[in-house]
């Protein structure tokens, strides 16, 4: 199976089929594995925020626990590189309009770039989302993961017939306001403070669709790029207002995110956007691999993501 199709031009390191294969086999800065057990898998840690400056909206500044059960350090890589990712719980906004969030910050290799990570329907405390955010932070970024569902995410063991009923409780305007507050927090903390020039946004499934909304509203003012993993409920008309390159990653066996829709959206955005389709993969494979085949393609997807962020944000910032 594996990487079946890419549109436009991949980064220089990933240009040819042979270079794609070799680049994916290089040791990653942090290795993600949900299939095989390893004595080097990192357990949950107590971590403290060692911020360069104070963060006025912190709800606790002592200790917080960050789940990292699916993240391990690749053989030959300094273990301290991933040990030095600090996590803290935040409260963004005031009063009844406030939302909770997690901020994961790279310490030793921090490049100063802020990333907004929008979860799928299972919410910001889900272990798969948290582990992916940890891994992005492990590569040098400051990752903010807001609670888009106000403590009421979709629960995996609920009957699927109840999904639409649950979704109806998640007011789109309220979700949009919460995302706006999260964006403002990142802008204040990283751009206004002179730490970075541009932000990035990543989203999975429900959050992947909201990536387009965020970038369409921002129109290049604060965000330099976005990455949408198998985004759902994408508004094609909003995509026409996106002013920065977007990386789309999905599988060709995903009924929730049709490839043809992504092709049309990618064309309407243009300006360097890219669509990467994995043959035989279904919904959620990149952050919720369920088989050895999914796990291998999840590694490839992360390698593409890492290269995209490096060239679109870290280098320019």
């Amino acid at each position: 199976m594996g990487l079946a199709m890419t549109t436009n031009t991949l980064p220089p390191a990933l240009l040819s089929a042979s270079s794609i294969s070799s680049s994916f086999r290089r040791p990653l800065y942090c290795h993600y594995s949900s299939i095989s057990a390893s004595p080097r898998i990192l357990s949950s840690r107590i971590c403290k925020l060692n911020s360069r400056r104070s963060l006025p909206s912190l709800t606790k500044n002592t200790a917080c626990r960050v789940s990292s059960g699916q993240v391990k350090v690749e053989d030959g890589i300094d273990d301290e590189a991933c040990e030095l990712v600090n996590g803290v719980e935040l409260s963004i906004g005031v009063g009844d309009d406030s939302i909770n969030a997690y901020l994961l910050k790279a310490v030793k290799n921090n490049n100063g770039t802020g990333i907004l990570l929008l979860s799928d329907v299972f919410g910001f405390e889900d272990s798969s989302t948290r582990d992916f955010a940890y891994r992005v932070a492990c590569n040098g970024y400051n990752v903010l993961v807001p609670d888009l569902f106000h403590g009421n995410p979709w629960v995996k063991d609920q009957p699927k017939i109840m999904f639409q009923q649950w979704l109806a409780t998640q007011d789109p305007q309220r979700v949009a306001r919460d995302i706006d507050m999260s964006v403002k927090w990142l802008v204040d903390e990283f751009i206004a403070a002179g730490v970075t020039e541009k932000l990035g946004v990543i989203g999975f499934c429900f959050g992947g669709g909201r990536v387009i909304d965020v970038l369409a509203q921002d129109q290049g003012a604060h965000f330099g790029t976005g990455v949408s993993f198998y985004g759902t409920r994408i508004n094609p008309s909003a995509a026409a207002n996106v002013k920065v390159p977007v990386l789309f990653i999905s599988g060709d066996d995903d009924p929730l995110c049709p490839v043809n829709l992504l092709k049309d959206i990618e064309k309407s955005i243009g300006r360097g956007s890219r669509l990467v389709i994995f043959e035989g993969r279904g919904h959620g494979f990149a952050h919720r691999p369920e088989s050895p085949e999914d796990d291998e393609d999840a590694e490839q997807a992360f390698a593409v993501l890492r290269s995209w962020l490096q060239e679109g944000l870290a280098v320019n910032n």
Side-chain angles (χ1 to χ4, degrees):
M1 298 299 182
L3 186 64
M5 175 186 68
T6 62
T7 64
N8 289 339
T9 305
L10 285 170
L14 304 176
L15 281 177
S16 66
S18 60
S19 66
I20 288 175
S21 176
S22 63
S23 66
F24 290 148
R25 298 299 180 265
R26 289 198 303 268
L28 298 178
Y29 194 71
C30 284
H31 178 73
Y32 178 79
S33 176
S34 62
I35 303 301
S36 60
S38 167
R40 303 189 69 187
I41 290 180
L42 305 179
S43 60
S44 298
R45 299 191 185 89
I46 296 295
C47 54
K48 294 184 179 181
L49 182 71
N50 294 320
S51 181
R52 182 182 53 78
R53 61 192 191 85
S54 61
L55 301 176
S57 54
L58 296 185
T59 55
K60 59 167 85 172
N61 54 13
T62 53
C64 63
R65 191 170 291 276
V66 178
S67 171
S68 57
Q70 294 178 337
V71 181
K72 69 182 181 118
V73 180
E74 187 72 31
D75 291 341
I77 301 297
D78 182 4
D79 292 282
E80 290 189 3
C82 289
E83 290 284 353
L84 293 177
V85 171
N86 289 338
V88 67
E89 294 184 24
L90 307 174
S91 179
I92 298 174
V94 295
D96 294 337
D97 293 329
S98 65
I99 62 169
N100 294 324
Y102 286 102
L103 177 67
L104 300 178
K105 299 185 69 173
V107 176
K108 190 172 183 179
N109 65 325
N110 197 304
N111 60 35
T113 305
I115 300 283
L116 176 64
L117 194 150
L118 304 177
S119 73
D120 58 17
V121 295
F122 297 110
F124 82 132
E125 292 186 309
D126 176 79
S127 61
S128 295
T129 296
R130 190 82 60 81
D131 291 343
F132 198 96
Y134 184 96
R135 187 179 182 186
V136 173
C138 214
N139 279 268
Y141 299 92
N142 306 285
V143 186
L144 181 70
V145 191
D147 178 10
L148 301 181
F149 308 114
H150 282 222
N152 180 33
W154 175 248
V155 179
K156 296 176 183 179
D157 60 0
Q158 290 184 96
K160 292 183 179 180
I161 195 173
M162 297 180 61
F163 179 78
Q164 292 300 326
Q165 180 180 344
W166 168 83
L167 189 62
T169 67
Q170 306 299 328
D171 179 16
Q173 293 184 346
R174 193 269 303 158
V175 172
R177 288 195 300 270
D178 291 346
I179 293 176
D180 287 346
M181 282 196 299
S182 301
V183 171
K184 184 180 184 304
W185 190 91
L186 281 171
V187 169
D188 289 346
E189 289 294 323
F190 293 98
I191 294 182
V195 178
T196 187
E197 294 182 2
K198 291 290 182 180
L199 306 171
V201 55
I202 301 171
F204 304 107
C205 314
F206 178 88
R210 308 291 71 73
V211 164
I212 302 304
D213 298 336
V214 169
L215 296 179
Q217 180 174 329
D218 181 72
Q219 296 197 14
H222 300 117
F223 286 90
T225 191
V227 183
S228 176
F229 285 88
Y230 24 79
T232 60
R233 302 174 185 272
I234 297 177
N235 182 353
S237 62
N241 294 320
V242 175
K243 306 299 183 185
V244 297
V246 180
L247 172 64
F248 296 93
I249 296 178
S250 193
D252 68 352
D253 191 23
D254 185 350
L256 300 180
C257 185
V259 171
N260 288 338
L261 174 62
L262 292 180
K263 287 180 179 179
D264 292 340
I265 291 175
E266 188 254 355
K267 290 176 183 177
S268 69
I269 293 177
R271 296 175 295 279
S273 292
R274 295 168 191 155
L275 170 60
V276 180
I277 300 298
F278 285 81
E279 184 182 21
R281 298 285 74 85
H283 197 67
F285 76 92
H287 75 303
R288 299 181 183 281
E290 297 180 349
S291 69
E293 293 77 17
D294 274 3
D295 190 63
E296 182 178 353
D297 285 350
E299 287 292 344
Q300 294 186 11
F302 192 87
V304 174
L305 165 74
R306 186 179 61 169
S307 179
W308 181 268
L309 294 179
Q310 174 67 22
E311 294 196 7
L313 288 176
V315 172
N316 296 328
N317 278 333

